[in-house]
Amino acid sequence: RNFITPSQEITTLLNAVIDKMGIRRFAILYPENSYGRFFMNRFWDKLENMGGVVTAVESYDPESTDFADQIKKMTGTFYPRPASVEKEFEQTDLTDPGYDEREKIKEGPEDKQDEPEPIIDFDAIFIPDGFQTVAMIAPQLVYHDVRDVQLIGTSMWQSDKLIKLAKDYVQGAIFPSAFFEKSGAPGVENFIKSYKENFGTD
């Protein structure tokens, strides 16, 4: 086959988020299948070699459409917290200069107001799955108050349908690609022109 390898995908992705963006803390949310496990392990090994750290990791059934339990486990809201931990967390939050602003923008139905506030100790979430699943996960992350984290994935994210399905929830997401039509490289521009002339389509 003629395609980018998993190692190339992961190296390119981590060069962007670790070296260029300075992200060091990661969560991994992956499907419990051979593809998900393979990319999870490769990603984890590579990021540790580059100085990154995994603070949360959860798997899900590839046929699942509800990711609430996994998201809650990643953010410490699935299991009851010991009183000492809850007290420490609340004190830390109250002294945070951004606390009032976060309270103003907090959204959600009334049945969520009694839930503990999530602990987001990661700056990016790696999801090695297809765009169809990512389009379901991204809105659920926001619903469970996982906001302002970088979404990153594999080349399986590359589809116009991801934008149509998930809209604002995936803006700014990063994933590797074997082909980028707007790269501006002469070889790419010539290929696009020749392809369209021969086949009448992009």
Side-chain angles (χ1 to χ4, degrees), residues 25-27 55-56 70-77 81 89 93 96 102 116-125 140-151:
R25 305 182 305 167
F26 296 85
T55 61
Q70 287 81 6
I71 294 170
K72 288 179 179 181
K73 288 177 182 177
M74 290 168 60
T75 59
T77 59
R81 294 178 190 161
F89 177 67
D93 233 14
D96 184 343
R102 283 200 307 277
E117 188 173 345
I119 301 172
I120 314 298
D121 58 356
F122 46 84
D123 303 303
I125 302 177
Q140 293 185 43
L141 288 168
V142 174
Y143 178 82
H144 292 286
D145 296 323
V146 181
R147 306 167 187 268
D148 301 321
V149 296
Q150 180 67 57
L151 298 182

Side-chain angles (χ1 to χ4, degrees), residues 84-98:
S84 58
V85 173
E86 188 66 30
K87 183 177 180 181
E88 181 180 348
F89 177 67
E90 288 176 357
Q91 288 176 341
T92 302
D93 233 14
L94 289 171
T95 59
D96 184 343

Side-chain angles (χ1 to χ4, degrees), residues 41-164:
N41 285 313
R42 283 291 181 92
F43 181 83
W44 198 336
D45 289 343
K46 183 67 175 179
L47 77 85
E48 286 191 336
N49 288 337
M50 296 178 68
V53 61
V54 174
T55 61
V57 58
E58 290 293 333
S59 65
Y60 55 84
D61 184 333
E63 302 299 320
S64 179
T65 58
D66 184 354
F67 306 91
D69 288 351
Q70 287 81 6
I71 294 170
K72 288 179 179 181
K73 288 177 182 177
M74 290 168 60
T75 59
T77 59
F78 185 79
Y79 301 105
R81 294 178 190 161
S84 58
V85 173
E86 188 66 30
K87 183 177 180 181
E88 181 180 348
F89 177 67
E90 288 176 357
Q91 288 176 341
T92 302
D93 233 14
L94 289 171
T95 59
D96 184 343
Y99 177 79
D100 290 337
E101 289 303 312
R102 283 200 307 277
E103 287 299 304
K104 290 177 185 177
I105 64 171
K106 189 179 292 183
E107 300 175 0
E110 292 183 3
D111 61 352
K112 287 182 61 192
Q113 292 179 2
D114 292 333
E115 293 183 3
E117 188 173 345
I119 301 172
I120 314 298
D121 58 356
F122 46 84
D123 303 303
I125 302 177
F126 176 59
I127 309 172
D129 207 338
F131 70 87
Q132 301 95 327
T133 303
V134 175
M136 291 187 287
I137 292 175
Q140 293 185 43
L141 288 168
V142 174
Y143 178 82
H144 292 286
D145 296 323
V146 181
R147 306 167 187 268
D148 301 321
V149 296
Q150 180 67 57
L151 298 182
I152 57 178
T154 66
S155 58
M156 288 179 67
W157 286 32
Q158 185 167 359
S159 173
D160 291 341
K161 293 179 181 178
L162 177 60
I163 302 299
K164 293 176 182 177

